[in-house]
Amino acid sequence: MRFWLILHPDINRPIGGVKQMHRLSECIARSGRDSCLIQDTEKFHPSWFSSSVSTISQSSWINLRNTGQLQPQIDVLVAPETYASVVFSYARDLPIVFFNQNGSYTFGLPGSNQLYKPDSVITAYKDPRIKQILCVSRHDFEMLVNGFGLGPDRVSCIRNGLEGDLSFSIPSNPFRVAVMPRKNSRDLSIVKSLLSQQPWMSNWQIVEISSKPHSEVLSILRDCTLFLSFGHPEGFGLPVAEAMACGCAVVGYSGLGGRELFHVASQFNTALEVAYGDWYGFVRGLSLFNQQIVDDLPGFVQRLSRTSMAIRQLYSHEKMYSSVLNALA
């Protein structure tokens, strides 16, 4: 079979979504099937990560489709969840797989004009031309299976494979907390103001991570003991997963898709999920971990190490490949 994965054409699409499409394409190709990305221009390759997947321009792919060179018995279109309103006219008679990377985008992109009628989206997902739906978190799996009423045979949850230097190391200064201001920056600003009123916060250094290469992001995370998560909504919560893998305790939003990550870390008492908009919850969580560091730093570090190992084992490239292989079956 040949799988054609179409990238979302909106340049405002989160770059993590582009990377997920590339990694999915690589897993499909590794399974012995043909896989190719459909994008605006054939020769474009992202600069923020390495990938050697096959590519084709959108105009060339449409020409293949219009001239009858694509066959429903052989060719499958893999489309992002944001294509729900146009996917049938785009694919025509080809079978379709939805790759739902963020359940919160299922009914359109927040803050844009691309909002769809919920009933029409659910009807589209139940159309027999949709052969399978892929997602990347247990939260979205439950929403699609039970909320949409699709049934578990039509939905597959694939693992995200973490990459880069995710080794655990003991920071020289345990009072460093990392934040990423890209999402919900207003919430971050409010929380920072609240933290500035806490006497114990004078020991802490807040490290903002913005516009850094991936390797540098991981280096900063390895040099911190805490990460404040402001990402919401999230299809999976990659920053949270990477922070945990690098040895950070996490306080903040799970983004819904990241709840499974908080569940793993909570077994080692190294994460506290905060309800969206609960700014004081960040203060309370950081205060809690601050006291643990003061009372028993070696024990705290040991729990961080165990969390790191668990996350790296659960979200490895091999686990991702195995999950994709099961979905293809």
Side-chain angles (χ1 to χ4, degrees):
M1 299 187 76
R2 295 184 297 194
F3 288 81
W4 305 91
L5 294 78
I6 182 165
L7 291 177
H8 193 281
D10 186 354
I11 60 171
N12 294 317
R13 174 76 174 180
I15 60 175
V18 174
K19 192 173 187 178
Q20 283 180 321
M21 274 291 194
H22 278 254
R23 297 303 181 236
L24 174 60
S25 182
E26 291 168 348
C27 287
I28 293 172
R30 181 181 168 185
S31 75
R33 299 162 171 87
D34 290 336
S35 181
C36 187
L37 284 180
I38 307 168
Q39 50 190 28
D40 287 344
T41 59
E42 180 178 351
K43 295 183 179 180
F44 170 77
H45 286 280
S47 60
W48 57 94
F49 64 90
S50 60
S51 174
S52 58
V53 300
S54 298
T55 59
I56 187 173
S57 69
Q58 185 164 205
S59 59
S60 295
W61 186 86
I62 290 174
N63 181 62
L64 291 177
R65 183 200 65 188
N66 291 346
T67 54
Q69 298 180 62
L70 303 180
Q71 301 297 322
Q73 300 80 10
I74 299 174
D75 298 287
V76 179
L77 178 69
V78 181
E81 70 280 6
T82 48
Y83 265 67
S85 65
V86 298
V87 70
F88 298 117
S89 61
Y90 192 89
R92 295 192 180 174
D93 61 341
L94 298 180
I96 300 163
V97 171
F98 267 137
F99 185 21
N100 192 310
Q101 301 172 69
N102 191 329
S104 298
Y105 297 161
T106 305
F107 301 102
L109 292 172
S112 75
N113 295 324
Q114 297 178 340
L115 297 177
Y116 316 133
K117 293 181 179 179
D119 287 346
S120 65
V121 172
I122 294 174
T123 299
Y125 271 71
K126 290 187 171 183
D127 191 288
R129 287 171 288 181
I130 305 296
K131 302 303 180 183
Q132 187 75 189
I133 298 99
L134 309 179
C135 62
V136 294
S137 71
R138 295 303 303 178
H139 174 273
D140 288 352
F141 179 82
E142 294 291 339
M143 180 188 74
L144 292 164
V145 170
N146 298 318
F148 280 45
L150 295 173
D153 58 319
R154 297 200 65 206
V155 185
S156 297
C157 184
I158 64 175
R159 291 284 177 87
N160 266 328
L162 303 181
E163 51 193 85
D165 184 2
L166 298 166
S167 58
F168 175 79
S169 60
I170 301 175
S172 56
N173 177 10
F175 297 100
R176 283 167 53 90
V177 54
V179 297
M180 293 182 179
R182 185 170 67 88
K183 286 189 177 181
N184 297 309
S185 58
R186 179 173 179 269
D187 291 41
L188 169 59
S189 177
I190 293 170
V191 169
K192 286 171 66 177
S193 294
L194 295 178
L195 288 172
S196 69
Q197 305 305 308
Q198 313 307 312
W200 48 265
M201 193 63 194
S202 60
N203 293 328
W204 285 84
Q205 176 188 0
I206 298 178
V207 183
E208 292 197 5
I209 304 175
S210 181
S211 302
K212 303 285 187 183
H214 187 237
S215 59
E216 190 173 343
V217 170
L218 298 183
S219 178
I220 294 171
L221 290 173
R222 286 195 303 272
D223 203 33
C224 294
T225 55
L226 210 71
F227 177 74
L228 299 184
S229 171
F230 292 91
H232 182 92
E234 296 283 357
F236 168 66
L238 184 60
V240 169
E242 291 181 337
M244 291 176 176
C246 287
C248 292
V250 177
V251 175
Y253 304 152
S254 70
L256 302 178
R259 279 180 175 166
E260 62 193 71
L261 301 169
F262 279 79
H263 176 72
V264 172
S266 67
Q267 299 175 61
F268 307 102
N269 194 24
T270 57
L272 180 65
E273 182 179 357
V274 173
Y276 182 62
D278 181 8
W279 303 312
Y280 180 67
F282 285 87
V283 179
R284 186 173 60 249
L286 184 50
S287 174
L288 174 68
F289 286 123
N290 173 75
Q291 196 60 52
Q292 292 182 18
I293 292 172
V294 171
D295 291 344
D296 182 16
L297 179 58
F300 182 67
V301 170
Q302 184 180 45
R303 294 199 305 276
L304 293 180
S305 176
R306 293 172 66 190
T307 304
S308 170
M309 178 65 71
I311 292 294
R312 283 183 282 139
Q313 288 178 344
L314 282 171
Y315 301 99
S316 66
H317 275 285
E318 284 305 310
K319 288 290 178 64
M320 179 178 183
Y321 173 64
S322 296
S323 67
V324 172
L325 204 61
N326 289 335
L328 291 173

